[in-house]
Each structure stands twice: as C-alpha cells, then as structure tokens.
Amino acid sequence: MTVFIGTLLAAYALGVVSLFWHIRQTSRLVGQDASIPIPATIAADLPAIDVVVPVKDEEHNIAMCLEALLREDYPRARILVVNDRSTDGTAAAVQTIQNEHPQVKRVDITHLPAGAFGKPNAIETITPMLTGDIVFFIDSDIQVKPGCLAAVVGFMRANSLDWFAAYGEPSLTYFWERLLVPLFGAIAYSWYDPRKISDPNWPDAIGSGFMVARREAYLAIGGHGAVKDQYDEDSAMLRRAKKAGQTLSFVISPNLYVVKLYGNLARTIRGFNRTLIGGLKTIPRFLITVHALLFVSLLPYLLLIAIPLLMAAGVAVPFANWWLAVAGLHLVLSNILIWQIYRTAQLPLRTSLLHPIGSAAAIWICARAAGDLWRGKPITWRGTSYTGTVAGAAPADGLANPPVRTGP
C-alpha cells in the first residue's frame, strides 16, 4: 500500500509541476495583443459589404445590434436581417428600425425544412440576395464598437484574407456569468488554440458569432447551404474553408464588439449545455474536461482539507507531509492560472477567488451535457428540438420546402 500511495504522490507531483507550463502558455496567449487597429479615418475605396444578422426571438437585443451597426460610418454597407420564425416582437422591432433606415432589409423565414438547422438554413435562404464584396455574419446579441467594420475590412485586405473570425468583449452582468464564462472560455481555448485556427497547417477550427468572408470565397465552398445540417455550422464553415486552402485569421479582439451572453442562471445552463455538445462532441472529451476542472480548481482544496482530517482521526497517511506540501504548491499555482483566466475577462481578483464554486457548477453542466449526448437527447434551442447526432442532427419539427417572406 505504501508503494502504491508513493506512486500516486509522484504522479500527482508531476501533474502539479505541469502547471508551470500551463501558466507560461496562458501568459503567452493572453499577453499577445491581437486587437485589430481601428482606423482614424475611413478610406474612400472600401469595398461594398453586406451585414447579415440572423435572428430568432431576439426582440430585446435586435434594436441595440442594428443601432450599433447603423452608427458605423462605412460608405457602402447594406444590412440584411434574417428573421427565422420568431414568435415574439422581433419583426416589429426590426420594422421600427426600417421605418427610419431604408438600408436595413428584412427577410422573414416562416418554416424550417427537414434535415436542417435554423440559423444556417435561414442564411442559406438569402444567399442569392448577397451583392457585397465582403459579407459580415453577425449574431443579434453583438454590438459592434465604433470603426469595427472598416477595421475588419482593412485588416482582411492588408493580409489577403478570405475569412476572419473574432471573439470580442463579453458583457458579464450576472453572478453566474462572471463565474462560468471565463472557465468555459478557457476550456474552449484548451481544445481550440486560436493560433492553430489561423494556421493552415492545423485542422483546428472554432466559429464565433462574428464571422466575415469574401463573398467569392464564401460561395466557392457552398455557403451555409453546405453546412445547414451541421449543429456547429460556424465551425464547420471554417473547417471547409481551411480544407479548401482558403486563408483565415481568428483573433481575440475586445475592441471590435461587445457580446451579450445568456443572462440568468437557467439561460446560462441551457446555453452552455448546447455549446458544450456542439464543441466537445464526444464523451472522452467531456471526461478529460471534467478531470481538468477537478484537478486544477478543486483537488488542492480537497487534499488540504481531507488529509488533516484523516490525521486528526488517527488514520496513518503515508507521506502526509509531502502530500500537504505538494497540495500547497498546487493551490498557489492553480490560483495563479485561474487569476490569469479571469483577468483576461477583465474581472477582479475577488471574482477569481470564487473559482471553486464556478468549477463545481461547470462540472455539473458538463456532466449534464455529456448525459444528454450519451442518451441522444434532442437538443432544444429557441423553440426548436433537434434529434440525431451532433454533426448531422435533424429538426424534430422540420418541414419540407420552407416558405420565405421578404419584409418591407
């Protein structure tokens, strides 16, 4: 038994030492200033662009999204809102904007065809309407910052890019958002290194709610019609682009936009449940993720509590002092790593000190999502349930030949 405990201690010590490498790697990642520079003046020769905003039941967000886009001083920009079967006041909110801004167009999708997902199907439906040289695909919970559109177009032209995708600044207003979003962001970057996404030599790809493409490059790989049966259609688009030899850049650039996240705890759980299934995709990845959360965030606390309690109860713990010493070092290194993660989200140190609570909640959400994936449970999002596999799920309420209605 002593040999076995000693072996466990040695393995644990090696795991703790590996945190030095993770701290260094995280410092390098977050220390890189990948922000896209905002031009002081708008160039006169900028190409025409289409800004496509897919929306479903977003009456509380869509006006802020469109108003931010309309404040952009971009010379030739057309905004196309794709209203995908909304049942709330989304259409009315868009119409109010349209009454004052004729450059905002709206297309109302009234049905979903069998075998397709809502968002890629909606965008695929309006693809023939695209006329701009560059197409922005922007989710309705995003508010671009001043100069964003011109900055991205300029960056793409300067670097001869076919595609551009970015993560912006998260708006974290709720307690559970502030605890969970940095942790799930770290999980995403652990599986999908942004530097590898931009590297054509790696197959890694992860999408975002802010993606931009040259229209010719977009059409060359089939547009959203090629991925409308994909649950993670944005990532699938980038994978297709890389496979086709197209150039892309993925950056973390908080100066481009602010994204409003899920909100309260119930919505946060549902949102991350859907995101995890689409991002991790397999049970082994879920197991590795849960193990990492346990090791980094919870294990040192558990050991520093359990070992003294066992010793106080008269239990002989082999190498007890060594266990406590390694666990103490583990606690210091883990908190440094976690602090780096929360600081990247512009959250204070006091929030990062609550990470064990966040990690415990994240583990529960991961377990819940893994259970749904294991059982093949339909994924429900915005009133539509999808059945089948993650890579090719079909809408449970899908209809063939979707009628489309063009708004005024």
Side-chain angles (χ1 to χ4, degrees):
M1 178 60 73
T2 301
V3 173
F4 176 71
I5 297 297
T7 303
L8 283 181
L9 175 59
Y12 174 48
L14 287 175
V16 171
V17 170
S18 73
L19 288 177
F20 283 104
W21 180 84
H22 287 286
I23 290 171
R24 180 174 177 271
Q25 289 295 99
T26 302
S27 296
R28 291 179 61 187
L29 179 61
V30 303
Q32 294 176 341
D33 184 6
S35 296
I36 306 303
I38 303 297
T41 58
I42 304 298
D45 63 340
L46 290 175
I49 66 172
D50 288 322
V51 182
V52 178
V53 183
V55 59
K56 187 176 192 302
D57 295 336
E58 289 278 5
E59 63 176 318
H60 300 298
N61 289 327
I62 188 60
M64 292 183 291
C65 173
L66 295 179
E67 288 167 357
L69 288 169
L70 289 166
R71 286 193 294 268
E72 289 289 274
D73 189 21
Y74 196 97
R76 292 189 294 162
R78 185 179 62 150
I79 301 173
L80 185 56
V81 179
V82 192
N83 179 28
D84 179 27
R85 300 167 294 128
S86 292
T87 58
D88 62 358
T90 295
V94 176
Q95 184 62 58
T96 300
I97 300 291
Q98 289 180 273
N99 291 340
E100 298 183 8
H101 301 279
Q103 68 269 44
V104 177
K105 308 299 180 183
R106 190 183 85 244
V107 173
D108 296 316
I109 309 297
T110 58
H111 291 88
L112 180 66
F117 282 86
K119 178 180 174 182
N121 168 72
I123 299 177
E124 189 264 344
T125 302
I126 58 90
T127 297
M129 301 174 62
L130 300 176
T131 59
D133 298 305
I134 294 178
V135 185
F136 284 71
F137 300 100
I138 297 179
D139 283 357
S140 56
D141 53 6
I142 284 176
Q143 296 179 53
V144 298
K145 295 186 179 182
C148 169
L149 302 182
V152 171
V153 171
F155 182 81
M156 291 182 68
R157 294 176 73 182
N159 294 277
S160 301
L161 294 175
D162 295 310
W163 285 84
F164 174 85
Y167 275 175
E169 175 189 349
S171 175
L172 305 177
T173 56
Y174 288 79
F175 173 78
W176 286 105
E177 283 184 326
R178 295 167 72 86
L179 275 187
L180 291 171
V181 169
L183 293 175
F184 282 120
I187 290 170
Y189 296 142
S190 296
W191 287 111
Y192 303 97
D193 189 323
R195 294 163 295 190
K196 293 180 180 179
I197 298 171
S198 300
D199 189 337
N201 297 316
W202 291 86
D204 300 54
I206 185 173
S208 78
F210 186 98
M211 292 174 55
V212 190
R214 287 194 313 105
R215 181 165 58 92
E216 290 183 359
Y218 171 71
L219 296 177
I221 60 172
H224 278 80
V227 297
K228 66 180 180 180
D229 62 343
Q230 300 288 306
Y231 182 63
D232 57 337
E233 82 291 333
D234 47 5
S235 300
M237 287 295 297
L238 293 188
R239 286 194 294 270
R240 288 179 64 86
K242 294 183 76 169
K243 188 174 182 179
Q246 297 180 356
T247 56
L248 69 90
S249 179
F250 182 97
V251 302
I252 303 171
S253 188
N255 66 323
L256 289 181
Y257 68 84
V258 176
V259 57
K260 183 179 179 182
L261 295 174
Y262 304 114
N264 61 31
L265 179 59
R267 291 180 179 178
T268 298
I269 292 173
R270 288 196 300 269
F272 278 125
N273 188 87
R274 177 181 67 96
T275 301
L276 286 166
I277 292 174
L280 297 184
K281 295 183 176 64
T282 67
I283 296 300
R285 283 194 169 196
F286 273 102
L287 293 175
I288 293 171
T289 299
V290 168
H291 172 77
L293 287 167
L294 280 169
F295 180 82
V296 173
S297 196
L298 298 180
L299 184 58
Y301 291 96
L302 294 175
L303 289 174
L304 290 171
I305 293 172
I307 291 177
L309 288 178
L310 289 172
M311 294 173 65
V315 177
V317 179
F319 312 108
N321 290 334
W322 281 103
W323 277 105
L324 291 173
V326 176
L329 176 62
H330 187 182
L331 182 65
V332 172
L333 296 178
S334 290
N335 276 282
I336 292 173
L337 178 61
I338 294 291
W339 176 67
Q340 288 180 323
I341 292 170
Y342 279 82
R343 184 182 61 175
T344 303
Q346 299 181 351
L347 293 172
L349 175 62
R350 63 178 180 274
T351 303
S352 70
L353 295 177
L354 298 175
H355 70 85
I357 300 173
S359 292
I363 289 170
W364 179 81
I365 294 172
C366 285
R368 184 176 184 268
D372 289 349
L373 179 63
W374 178 265
R375 295 190 299 271
K377 182 179 178 181
I379 302 165
T380 300
W381 186 249
R382 298 299 171 99
T384 303
S385 294
Y386 300 92
T387 59
T389 64
V390 171
D397 58 348
L399 299 173
N401 302 319
V404 178
R405 185 171 64 250
T406 302

